[in-house]
């Protein structure tokens, strides 16, 4: 029987997904999640102005989105103090990571990441035939110095570094990051993933010239702005690098209503401030729940908290499964030693109430 | 100065876009389009039920979309009489064409298309290092027999064939297509792009078993269903081929509100029927306007009409520019001899009134 002739690369790729979605889990178990606090979604929701903008744009969905995302890029450029030529908008950071990987990675090329960092980046790298070299976390923090050293050692084309980090929620001061940039080897590009930076303490975002040839900064509307389902991310970098995305990106790939929603969300900084306050309270609440259950919250600069169970991955996994069976969706780090933890996303009190009620029950069952 | 190390492929790619968006033209000329009838968008708009679904989902945009698009795939599978394993949902046909090209094409591989057919497919092929071999249109129709012959001759991995065609709007009977499938060479896959098929006469969609190993059918919510800005397309094919998309697709790439809108749109077949009637009337109206201006409408099974100017590409291009300067956005085929035509999308009377008013003025200026 004739079959399509897949590329050599694709023939050897597994059929996989970086994450199992909560809907998939619900379908498999038949149990609906009452508390959806596992995917670092922002349960406090997007700005009402963003919702209104999306609703107003709904009836205009017969039109394609502007392939240049002009208005959105203009607003981002102004807010960030850069030129529009330094900004590319894409289908979430996931989409932008895919494009960037495609631009740089061909079979056999090396990238560097932290062991247990964002798996979607690794998925993209594998998808283009690259090899991911890892360095361990240091005290639950990503270790930029070690990443750079490994990049030198392996002649890596890309370094992936998230600040704040996912899944641990830890962070570095922006100045410490900026001080490391000069050590990045020639021919290597640092991906500075700041997906959660709007929720981090002031000073977390590194300051450096946007034309720096060795860094690309990635941001998203998915986390602080609460628009994960709208798929809007952006990257900031040297104009030449940003322009290269035009060689391969899906020019008409942006959702038109999402463009409008993102523009409105960025314009509502009051809502972001309110979200920051709500997230800070939720982080404390999660830490309190953890303490009441014999766990330790790792300080977080994100909208989630990694809770150190004090035991091992099998125990953490058992908690995940126990909570899932009681309608609570959370996740956990994939790799040791971080996988001694469970990871809980910030959400409204109603959902954290459910966690507070169900977690002791699960732990009791595990005794 | 250090630069990122692009792949060998990317270094040789031009920075390009398959189409210039109307917003870009407006920004360049400073003239707003009063009639947006150039991108084959569906100006009759999506079903009000789809709009309502999108609006209702807007506030839930803090959640990622279901990475399996389960509900939507289920509805598509039921409507098409296939299994869910035969359906993949993606970010428009553009997104799916990109994924499929990535699955099959590596540098030096050959694909076959018609000279002047959908440029976004060619963009994707070039983006993965493939070579596009073309055959001419025959009497303004894509020529499947010639495409298959060329595929044999060039050992092509993919054939691109749209039915109905864009940019000419012509079509073949589905039975004639089905009869050709047995002639597709082993190791070659036919992309049957049916983006416009909902607007075509009954019998246009080819009937064949969905597990046929040599065809993948692509459909979209962008045209008949009026949701171009929502970026929802789907492909139907053998389960093994469909599963291969999971190796590389952006699993969390679908917009959540778009998933809801698409589901509602597919459920409102009454609206689609109304759209078919409106499109048919608009096609006639465009043909009448053409006749009044000494042009000939080429019979169309789509929501646009190619108008034969009876002259050459320079003349057609002058009409495009003249109309653009008067606030009317239309497009034209890229390649001879089709580029003797201009292409007008169906739209509400208000926009066709503007065309009817401005076209004679433009032609007079060109005299």
């Amino acid at each position: 029987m004739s079959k399509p002739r897949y590329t050599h690369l694709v023939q050897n790729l597994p059929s996989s997904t970086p994450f199992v979605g909560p809907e998939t889990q619900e379908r498999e178990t038949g149990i609906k999640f009452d508390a959806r606090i596992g995917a670092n979604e922002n349960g406090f929701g997007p700005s009402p102005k963003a919702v209104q903008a999306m609703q107003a744009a709904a009836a205009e969905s017969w039109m394609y989105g502007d392939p240049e995302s002009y208005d959105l890029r203009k607003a981002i450029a102004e807010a960030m103090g850069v030129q529009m030529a330094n900004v590319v908008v894409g289908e979430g950071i996931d989409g932008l990571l895919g494009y960037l990987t495609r631009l740089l990675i061909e079979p056999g090329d090396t990238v560097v990441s932290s062991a247990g960092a964002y798996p979607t980046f690794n998925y993209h790298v594998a998808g283009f035939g690259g090899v991911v070299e890892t360095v361990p976390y240091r005290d639950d923090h990503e270790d930029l110095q070690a990443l750079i050293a490994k990049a030198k050692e392996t002649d890596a084309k890309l370094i992936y570094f998230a600040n704040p980090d996912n899944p641990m929620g830890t962070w570095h001061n922006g100045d410490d990051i900026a001080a490391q940039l000069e050590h990045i080897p020639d021919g290597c590009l640092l991906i500075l993933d700041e997906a959660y930076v709007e929720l981090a303490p002031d000073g977390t975002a590194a300051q450096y010239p946007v034309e720096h040839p060795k860094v690309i900064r990635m941001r998203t509307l998915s986390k602080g702005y609460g628009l994960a389902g709208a798929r809007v991310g952006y990257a900031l970098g040297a104009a030449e690098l940003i322009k290269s995305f035009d060689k391969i990106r899906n020019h008409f790939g942006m959702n038109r209503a999402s463009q409008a929603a993102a523009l409105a969300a960025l314009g509502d900084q009051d809502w972001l401030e309110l979200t920051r306050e709500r997230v800070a309270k939720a982080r404390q609440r999660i830490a309190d729940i953890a303490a009441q259950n014999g766990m330790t919250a790792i300080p977080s600069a994100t909208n989630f908290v990694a809770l150190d169970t004090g035991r091992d991955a099998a125990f953490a996994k058992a908690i995940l499964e126990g909570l899932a069976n009681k309608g609570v969706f959370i996740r956990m780090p994939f790799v040791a030693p971080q996988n001694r933890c469970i990871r809980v996303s910030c959400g409204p009190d109603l959902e954290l109430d459910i966690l507070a009620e169900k977690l002791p029950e699960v732990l009791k069952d595990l005794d």
Side-chain angles (χ1 to χ4, degrees), chain A:
Chain A
M1 180 66 86
S2 164
K3 283 189 185 175
R5 286 178 283 172
Y6 300 101
T7 67
H8 294 85
L9 180 55
V10 166
Q11 286 173 36
N12 294 310
L13 280 178
S15 187
S16 70
T17 174
F19 296 103
V20 178
E23 291 86 358
T24 305
Q25 288 187 48
E26 289 177 333
R27 285 188 292 268
E28 284 172 358
T29 63
I31 300 166
K32 284 269 171 195
F33 288 126
D34 302 313
R36 183 169 163 136
I37 46 177
N40 302 344
E41 294 162 330
N42 177 347
F44 302 112
S47 157
K49 291 177 183 169
V51 174
Q52 286 160 20
M54 191 182 292
Q55 289 173 336
E60 294 177 359
S61 289
W62 61 272
M63 289 183 274
Y64 289 101
D66 173 11
E68 298 188 48
S69 294
Y70 186 93
D71 295 338
L72 184 52
R73 280 170 54 234
K74 187 160 183 280
I76 292 166
E78 285 171 3
M80 301 294 293
V82 301
Q83 302 298 309
M84 283 182 68
N86 299 117
V87 184
V88 59
V89 165
E91 303 90 340
I93 287 181
D94 282 1
L96 291 166
L97 285 173
Y99 291 139
L100 181 64
T101 303
R102 181 173 161 197
L103 285 171
L104 271 72
I105 301 303
E106 49 198 329
D109 283 342
T110 301
V111 308
V112 173
S113 184
S114 305
Y118 194 49
T120 303
F121 176 63
N122 299 10
Y123 170 80
H124 287 310
V125 171
F128 289 102
V131 176
V132 183
E133 296 276 355
T134 61
V135 300
Y137 278 63
R138 177 193 290 263
D139 299 331
D140 296 324
H141 287 65
E142 291 194 32
D143 183 346
L144 184 54
Q145 278 179 284
L147 288 163
I148 292 173
K150 178 65 87 173
K152 283 179 185 159
E153 177 194 324
T154 60
D155 191 28
K157 282 182 163 181
L158 283 171
I159 299 172
Y160 176 84
F161 175 73
N163 190 51
D165 168 68
N166 175 18
M168 301 308 283
T170 52
W171 71 103
H172 294 275
N173 188 288
D175 291 344
D176 295 338
I177 294 168
Q180 291 297 321
L181 299 185
E182 65 179 298
H183 302 300
I184 298 170
D186 281 354
C188 183
L189 181 72
L190 176 72
I191 305 169
L192 179 59
D193 182 343
E194 292 185 338
Y196 297 94
V197 80
E198 293 89 357
L199 304 168
D202 290 345
T204 303
Q207 300 299 315
Y208 58 85
V210 71
E211 284 288 343
H212 195 298
K214 294 183 180 176
V215 197
I216 185 166
R217 190 195 301 265
M218 294 200 180
R219 297 261 178 111
T220 181
L221 277 288
S222 296
K223 305 301 181 182
Y225 292 100
L227 284 169
R231 313 314 302 130
V232 184
Y234 58 98
L236 305 167
E240 187 177 322
L241 172 61
I242 294 302
K243 190 169 173 53
S244 71
F245 283 79
D246 282 343
K247 293 183 172 186
I248 58 157
R249 72 185 179 91
N250 198 354
H251 288 267
F252 286 83
M254 288 301 297
N255 182 295
R256 187 176 183 94
S258 293
Q259 290 173 325
L263 191 60
L266 289 170
D268 191 355
Q269 292 292 309
D270 289 345
W271 182 264
L272 179 63
E273 186 52 40
L274 191 61
T275 299
R276 285 170 60 94
E277 291 166 16
R278 287 168 166 172
V279 164
K281 275 186 198 165
R283 282 195 296 244
Q284 186 55 53
R285 176 93 198 277
I286 294 167
D288 293 344
I289 294 170
Q292 288 153 18
N293 288 278
M295 299 184 201
T296 311
I298 293 171
S300 166
T302 67
N303 71 330
F304 61 86
V305 186
L307 304 179
D308 190 337
T309 67
R311 294 177 58 177
D312 63 4
F315 184 68
K317 188 157 182 285
I319 296 174
L320 242 67
E321 291 172 355
L323 284 173
N325 288 331
K326 293 176 183 289
V328 179
F329 167 57
I330 66 165
R331 283 194 179 132
M332 62 180 281
F334 295 99
V335 170
Q338 296 96 277
N339 63 6
R340 73 190 189 282
C341 300
I342 60 173
R343 195 194 68 179
V344 178
S345 305
C346 295
D349 276 331
L350 191 65
E351 300 190 50
L352 298 186
D353 289 345
I354 297 172
L355 176 70
E357 179 193 337
K358 302 297 182 188
L359 183 57
E361 297 177 11
V362 168
L363 291 171
K364 199 176 165 203
D365 290 348
L366 292 177
D367 251 355

